[in-house]
Amino acid sequence: MRNEGPSRDPGPDQVELQLAARLAELRVERGWSLEELARRTGVSRSTLSRLERAEISPTAAQLGRLCTAYERTMSRLLAEVESEPPQLVRASEQTVWRDETSGFVRRSVSPPHAGLRGEVIEGVLRPGADISYEGPPVPGLEQHIWVLEGTVEITANGHAHELRAGDCLRFRLWGRSRFRCPGPEPVRYAVLVVLP
């Protein structure tokens, strides 16, 4: 995982350390052992231990499973390890997270903010990228996905959709989801998430 943000950010290593610490805090707050968290997420105990010690970085799929267990969106979890975002979020200040393994790049265009229920995310998938999530971090999470460039296949709640530039898919997510870029070009899309 790589996190890129404004020059005031402590840097990728510091963000990864803060994320690892926050993941450990969330587990302890719930009174879960590593074995219990492994059972709830399907991520091995040894991997969870290494994630919490910042020995490895989570993949998008692993982070998605952890967010589901902790009932948080990925944006909310990442916001918890950063300082309070300003009302105006300049492009140079938007946090970028990369999962090189899956070919997913995520830009937090409008991060979660106290008193606001929505957030805007830009996603980019390279050709051949295929990411699956077991379930939403918050059941019934409302999402609006607008494709800006390219083509993406999105499966949500058991229904598959092929979206092209300009198309918008909107739904409340209750089950599994999958994002796949069939190529040959990358796909770039915007996601509006509305928290309940």
Side-chain angles (χ1 to χ4, degrees), residues 1-16:
M1 176 184 79
R2 288 209 171 95
N3 179 62
E4 300 169 3
S7 55
R8 62 177 170 72
D9 267 6
D13 292 337
Q14 186 62 34
V15 170
E16 288 181 11

Side-chain angles (χ1 to χ4, degrees), residues 83-136:
S83 60
E84 182 75 15
Q87 287 187 340
L88 173 62
V89 185
R90 302 222 182 260
S92 62
E93 297 173 340
Q94 295 168 4
T95 301
V96 176
W97 181 76
R98 298 175 188 276
D99 179 0
E100 300 296 344
T101 303
S102 67
F104 175 51
V105 178
R106 179 186 187 285
R107 175 182 293 274
S108 186
V109 177
S110 178
H113 189 279
L116 300 176
R117 292 179 43 214
E119 60 185 277
V120 180
I121 301 151
E122 177 192 51
V124 177
L125 292 174
R126 70 177 174 228
D130 192 341
I131 302 172
S132 295
Y133 299 97
E134 293 298 316

